[in-house]
Amino acid sequence: MAEAIPVVGGAQQRTAFVLAGGGSLGAVEVGMLQALLEWGEAPAFLVGASAGAINAAYFAGDPSRAGARELERIWCALKRREVFPFNLGSVFGLLRRRDHLVDSSGLRRLLERHLPYRQLEDAALPVHLVASDMLSGREALLSAGPVVDAVLASAAIPGVYPPVRIDGRWLVDGGVANNTPISVAVGLGATRVIVLPTGFACALERAPSGAIARAMHALSLLVARQLVYDADHFAGSAVELRIVPSLCPLGVSPYDYSAAAGLIARARTQTSRWLERGGLERAGTPPQLREHHD
């Protein structure tokens, strides 16, 4: 499918949407995406990691307002048990010294049910997913091949989900190497990068209980800090970098899948206001992503 690349100031401008990870907070990206589309933004390609890989893969199959609305419907119907089916089998697996807590078959079925294409290269909009080589920790860029395997690899939180073997490598969550892959978008030729971050739960009164919940909260903090680092790194470069402000205060754990509707609505409203106030004209890292407490 040919890409429509806008001409700005006499030069071709190639925009990438970069979708970061963050567990259930990935719902925030849906509201951001809807507001950006209503504003008239149209990316040339998508880059996603972890939960952002799920959103990017789905939207790439139907890169339209209707596709974003359907993505909202999927998120609002999602149950935690579909993503993390932790049960007696998980306990017995630990007793047998299995190397992960949760079977990924539930997430695989979910992806197979909703993704409208089977190979990454068949998406309506080019999409690139980031995973990590479990042995070396190096970034693994997935741009072709089975889309479900690629998403599962990018979202395979080490110790929680099993790694995924692709092209002879065992791959895990993209957050290990690069959870907000701005550098990937730039390397793929983007001259303008719009980052859709999930943010982190800055308003929690206490740390989440449970191993998975705590692991995901820690990962969301890591993602936010890595994004701040990357934004500072690209500040002043030739790349036009814009970061949509994340929600703040935010008191939802990235393990809580019951709050999707509210997160999407809130993110859509906040992003629309940011756009109306000239957000895309201003560089810089939103203060919501820097370390703070509500």
Side-chain angles (χ1 to χ4, degrees):
M1 180 178 179
E3 300 173 15
I5 303 176
V7 176
V8 178
Q12 285 189 331
Q13 188 177 49
R14 185 174 165 86
T15 298
F17 282 5
V18 172
L19 291 84
S24 65
L25 301 184
V28 170
E29 296 175 337
V30 180
M32 294 174 173
L33 183 61
Q34 291 174 341
L36 287 166
L37 294 174
E38 290 167 4
W39 191 254
E41 286 293 333
F45 64 94
L46 304 165
V47 179
S50 198
I54 298 173
N55 286 333
Y58 181 83
F59 183 66
D62 184 3
S64 66
R65 291 190 189 184
R69 287 194 298 271
E70 179 62 16
L71 186 56
E72 176 181 6
R73 188 195 67 77
I74 293 170
W75 269 99
C76 290
L78 190 61
K79 306 298 182 185
R80 185 168 66 190
R81 64 177 178 271
E82 295 180 275
V83 184
F84 296 103
F86 193 78
N87 49 34
L88 284 177
S90 305
V91 176
F92 290 137
L94 286 178
L95 293 175
R96 294 196 302 268
R97 296 186 179 181
R98 191 172 67 180
D99 60 2
H100 58 275
L101 286 170
V102 178
D103 185 1
S104 60
S105 59
L107 182 55
R108 177 178 287 276
R109 286 192 296 271
L110 189 70
L111 294 169
E112 289 175 343
R113 185 162 71 246
H114 291 294
L115 288 175
Y117 58 100
R118 292 292 171 258
Q119 301 290 118
L120 281 167
E121 59 269 34
D122 294 334
L125 186 69
V127 58
H128 309 272
L129 307 183
V130 178
S132 305
D133 187 304
M134 189 174 70
L135 184 61
S136 68
R138 293 191 184 97
E139 180 183 282
L141 182 60
L142 305 172
S143 303
V147 60
V148 171
D149 287 350
V151 173
L152 287 175
S154 184
I157 303 168
V160 176
Y161 283 126
V164 178
R165 191 170 180 82
I166 296 178
D167 294 335
R169 296 183 295 175
W170 287 106
L171 303 181
V172 293
D173 196 298
V176 174
N178 194 351
N179 209 308
T180 309
I182 297 171
S183 58
V184 171
V186 174
L188 290 167
T191 58
R192 182 171 179 258
V193 176
I194 300 177
V195 180
L196 286 65
T198 59
F200 61 94
C202 61
L204 288 179
E205 295 182 356
R206 60 183 63 86
S209 60
I212 299 177
R214 290 189 175 188
M216 295 185 69
H217 179 64
L219 186 59
S220 69
L221 293 173
L222 173 65
V223 172
R225 290 178 181 176
Q226 181 64 41
L227 174 52
V228 170
Y229 174 84
D230 288 349
D232 291 344
H233 174 75
F234 283 99
S237 71
V239 177
E240 182 180 319
L241 176 63
R242 299 293 182 263
I243 303 172
V244 181
S246 53
L247 298 182
C248 180
L250 182 58
V252 178
S253 162
Y255 190 50
D256 180 1
Y257 283 80
S258 68
L263 292 174
I264 292 170
R266 188 178 164 197
R268 182 172 57 243
T269 298
Q270 178 178 289
T271 303
S272 294
R273 289 174 180 166
W274 176 74
L275 290 165
E276 290 166 359
R277 294 168 181 167
L280 285 177
E281 304 305 316
R282 296 190 298 269
T285 303
Q288 296 93 325
L289 286 171
R290 297 190 183 274
E291 186 173 346
H292 69 277
H293 300 283
D294 176 56

